[in-house]
Amino acid sequence: MTSRGTARSRRTSAGPPDLDVDALLTDRGTRIIVCCGAGGVGKTTTAAALALRAAEGGRSVVVLTIDPARRLAQAMGLDQLDNTPRQVAGIAAGKGGRLDAMMLDMKRTFDEIVQSHSTPERSQQILANPFYQALSSSFAGTQEYMAMERLGQLRAQADREGTWDLIVVDTPPSRSALDFLDAPARLGSFLDGRFIKLLLAPAKVGGRAYLKVFSTGVSLVTGTLTKVLGAQVLSDISTFVAALDTMFGGFRERADVTYRLLQQKGTSFIVVATPEPDALREASYFVDRLASEQMPLAGLVLNRVHNVAAPLSAERALAAAETLAEHKEHPLTAQLLRLHAERAKVMAREQSMTTRFTATHPHVPRAQVAALAQDVHDLPSLRRVGRDLARR
Amino acid sequence: MGSVERHWDGVRLHVVTGKGGTGKTTVAAALALALARDGKKVLLVEVEDRQGIAQVFDAPPVGYVAHKIANAPGGGSVLALAVEAKAALLEYVQLFYKLGRAAAVLERFGAVDFATTIAPGIRDVLLTGKVYEAVRRREGGRYVYDAVVLDAPPTGRIVRFLNVNAEVVGLARVGPIRHQAQAITSLLHSPQSVVHLVSVLEEMPVQETADGVRDLTAAGLAVGGIVVNLVREPVLGARRLSAAGKGALDVDEVRAGLGAAGLSATPALVDGLLVQAREHADRLALERRERAALDALGPVIYELPALVAGVDLGGLYLLADRLHAQGMA
């Protein structure tokens, strides 16, 4: 992480090193970029802007978005959620690049895994199971698991067909930004665990006779579950688990493969935040977590950073505005000075916030995107974000 | 402000949701403070293991047992509680089934992890169950809490979260969990519960708010108010704002003003001020459009100002005052 950081960045006299976004995007060794961070910090926009810039720089890119704003999705031609990458029209392809974009459909991804791993009859049976239907559409973590699954699929397709040389991934708006790292492992350990074997028991042994075969501990657990959940829910789960049994190896293996993919050299994580306490706290956790998982961090993207366009301190601007107000003259200038003072104060607050982050993580390269007066929902504004990201 | 009409008298559960980054937790905390005015006792609950309440109140971590986190003006108090799924499950199992050692066995077999993380909806059933219990708790013939404020999951997941019990009723056709789920469902759908949405004047949060109002209504959940957070006061008047947007402000007048204030009117300063004025005008124009979109949704709208210094504990009381003055509490 650090060797990468220094290779791609230039240390300024004070503060963190700059994140050299263009070096990252043009390096053919960069195969996967994962954008992660707290909810509402602009992960999707950052992912889309990076993907567009890479494509216009000559790379063949696919961007996997999770839940884009409607107009941003439309700008990329994603009018429907169909789980398939579609080519984005209107990009500057002068350097031979292309951009495909897709939106994750988690239920469909799950269905497809089931279908590709079992016979038609068996997959019918699974897809119709009420427990499966609930799991595939509402289990906390399914979205994270499926995002990782889809990433693995895209990578396999890229390797097989040579379609894309860069995959940019947005991560789900999770309860915690870390969920997408944990969910696959959690599902994996569940599928491997004792509990699943317990659930499988009734279906395998048949009837209630299994209770005698197993220890009293087991009967206590199943008895309790029956009490709490009701026998019918338990039997739905049991049938479902039995039906999935054949696929479990596949699930776990793939979760492991994707996890290792994230640790590889061609992968770069970009942690996205805004200069607000919550977002920076999440970013901080994330940086630590990536380091402990040995996942390669490219740097921090700070979105919606306020700056000033006029060279004047907040204090002097306010004093000048007050002078004018006292003399009851030049109200326009007085208002412009007040506006400036407000912005300068916001900037100062944000700077003190990011300084704390820098103090904890002095070596994490950083790029900033200025707060825009307008929302980002077309290719020109995505380009502008990309330019901002690449400015050093 | 005694003369202001209270909009949510009779409501005992205030669910606060909003897109990430809109200040949902801050608004929930301010609402709890406002509801606790004049001797009321209000419980503020979080369910996402984020310790957001502790951060907003600048207090030590909030635990699974409710404790007082703030005094409200006029002698009221706000208590805070962080509901955690695992603890809720064990408590639930003990309470309803008197299981004794079975709890430990469940834990050992991975059943607790299964129930709280993997099993669809169980986690949310447990979390909403604990909230339900707090709303309904009585001591000496009266409710323990005058109101409960739930800092809920974000707008994108709120309907699924609140409706999980209805889903469970569909999955579990018999059994005790069905009864519990039914009781929670009927509380959430009763006039005692409303869902407030927090938004800011930007495209995505406003879009999500519109989707949220639609989805909540379709699910039969009562939408309360929309709290527009981080509202900035316009610094320029309407006429100047429109000129600023067109880049048509009087440059000579700005120069003269700077001179009169004793500043040197360098091109960098003058141009910078004009650029900022234009960006301010663009921003306000966007905010006006988004505000109109929110107005069209129907629910009553409350506004909270952007505090330039950020929200500290004092700021929280100020926001609570604003909510009170507007009749939200």
Side-chain angles (χ1 to χ4, degrees), chain A residues 41-354:
Chain A
V41 295
K43 281 192 294 283
T44 308
T45 307
T46 304
L50 288 171
L52 178 63
R53 190 166 180 87
E56 297 194 330
R59 304 203 56 183
S60 297
V61 189
V62 59
V63 55
L64 167 60
T65 65
I66 307 295
D67 192 15
R70 202 159 300 172
R71 286 166 74 189
L72 178 63
Q74 283 166 357
M76 295 195 294
L78 292 172
D79 294 328
Q80 74 237 45
L81 180 131
D82 66 355
N83 220 23
T84 313
R86 305 257 173 219
Q87 188 165 1
V88 177
I91 78 156
K95 293 190 179 160
R98 68 176 274 158
L99 177 61
D100 293 355
M102 68 164 284
M103 228 189 300
L104 178 75
D105 178 341
M106 69 171 177
K107 176 146 177 46
R108 189 184 294 214
T109 304
F110 210 147
D111 289 356
E112 283 167 5
I113 301 175
V114 170
Q115 282 158 345
S116 66
H117 277 77
S118 49
T119 62
E121 304 86 70
R122 185 143 241 210
S123 58
Q124 270 309 323
Q125 194 191 347
I126 298 175
L127 298 190
N129 184 291
F131 185 79
Y132 170 78
Q133 287 168 356
L135 181 75
S136 61
S137 56
S138 67
F139 146 54
T142 304
Q143 203 177 31
E144 286 79 4
Y145 182 81
M146 291 306 142
M148 289 301 104
E149 171 69 28
R150 201 71 185 88
L151 168 63
Q153 291 174 357
L154 288 173
R155 176 58 188 259
Q157 190 183 343
D159 287 347
R160 205 172 50 238
E161 301 168 8
T163 351
W164 307 293
D165 56 27
L166 175 64
I167 304 170
V168 182
V169 202
D170 175 21
T171 49
S174 307
R175 181 170 55 89
S176 144
L178 303 174
D179 275 2
F180 88 94
L181 280 181
D182 293 330
R186 214 161 56 198
L187 195 63
S189 78
F190 160 63
L191 296 176
D192 260 7
R194 284 215 269 175
F195 189 64
I196 208 79
K197 297 191 177 70
L198 193 81
L199 290 176
L200 276 169
K204 276 189 177 157
V205 181
R208 301 191 64 81
Y210 74 97
L211 278 178
K212 295 198 183 77
V213 182
F214 284 77
S215 71
T216 49
V218 174
S219 65
L220 196 60
V221 171
T222 46
T224 306
L225 287 172
T226 310
K227 258 199 213 165
V228 177
L229 296 171
Q232 167 258 331
V233 173
L234 206 59
S235 105
D236 273 349
I237 295 178
S238 181
T239 317
F240 164 67
V241 165
L244 274 182
D245 193 25
T246 48
M247 302 168 39
F248 283 166
F251 265 111
R252 182 156 181 77
E253 242 165 63
R254 290 137 76 99
D256 288 348
V257 168
T258 310
Y259 201 76
R260 281 198 299 275
L261 196 61
L262 294 178
Q263 292 174 320
Q264 278 172 12
K265 208 165 148 272
T267 301
S268 283
F269 280 81
I270 290 201
V271 176
V272 186
T274 52
E276 296 294 332
D278 289 353
L280 284 171
R281 198 178 306 112
E282 284 278 299
S284 196
Y285 284 140
F286 219 107
V287 167
D288 291 341
R289 179 67 193 277
L290 289 173
S292 69
E293 302 284 334
Q294 292 162 339
M295 292 188 172
L297 172 72
L300 174 78
V301 164
L302 261 188
N303 265 329
R304 290 183 221 131
V305 175
H306 290 87
N307 49 27
V308 291
L312 187 67
S313 74
E315 292 75 17
R316 287 191 69 197
L318 266 188
E322 275 165 24
T323 309
L324 292 178
E326 266 167 36
H327 297 128
K328 295 198 171 31
E329 47 183 29
H330 304 292
L332 169 62
T333 309
Q335 287 176 347
L336 293 187
L337 287 167
R338 282 188 195 285
L339 192 61
H340 174 77
E342 223 171 72
R343 231 166 110 153
K345 277 188 198 158
V346 170
M347 187 177 87
R349 176 170 61 87
E350 291 180 353
Q351 275 173 353
S352 87
M353 223 93 74
T354 49

Side-chain angles (χ1 to χ4, degrees), chain A residues 71 139 227 281 309 343 375, chain B residues 55 117 176 203 276 279 308:
Chain A
R71 286 166 74 189
F139 146 54
K227 258 199 213 165
R281 198 178 306 112
R343 231 166 110 153
D375 282 316
Chain B
Q55 280 149 23
T117 60
E203 185 197 353
Q276 290 178 174
E279 287 175 359
V308 175

Side-chain angles (χ1 to χ4, degrees), chain B residues 154-223:
Chain B
T155 322
R157 289 189 285 132
I158 189 65
V159 171
R160 191 188 293 162
F161 176 76
L162 295 176
N163 248 11
V164 67
N165 292 285
E167 215 176 285
V168 167
V169 171
L171 273 179
R173 287 184 283 274
V174 291
I177 209 164
R178 177 185 173 89
H179 296 299
Q180 167 88 349
Q182 273 172 332
I184 299 171
T185 303
S186 64
L187 169 69
L188 290 171
H189 289 259
S190 79
Q192 291 190 352
S193 307
V194 292
V195 184
H196 305 293
L197 297 108
V198 182
S199 191
V200 292
L201 295 176
E202 284 167 24
E203 185 197 353
M204 256 185 92
V206 167
Q207 182 60 52
E208 273 200 20
T209 304
D211 293 347
V213 169
R214 185 197 59 213
D215 297 346
L216 286 164
T217 309
L221 295 157
V223 174

Side-chain angles (χ1 to χ4, degrees), chain B residues 61-117:
Chain B
V62 171
Y64 189 67
V65 176
H67 72 270
K68 185 160 149 182
I69 197 157
N71 289 313
S77 58
V78 174
L79 287 84
L81 173 68
V83 183
E84 200 240 312
K86 204 180 234 183
L89 177 71
L90 293 176
E91 183 188 65
Y92 176 83
V93 168
Q94 282 308 346
L95 198 71
F96 287 91
Y97 303 99
K98 317 258 181 297
L99 289 174
R101 81 184 181 94
V105 178
L106 284 176
E107 174 95 61
R108 190 152 52 80
F109 270 85
V112 173
D113 277 341
F114 169 80
T116 54
T117 60

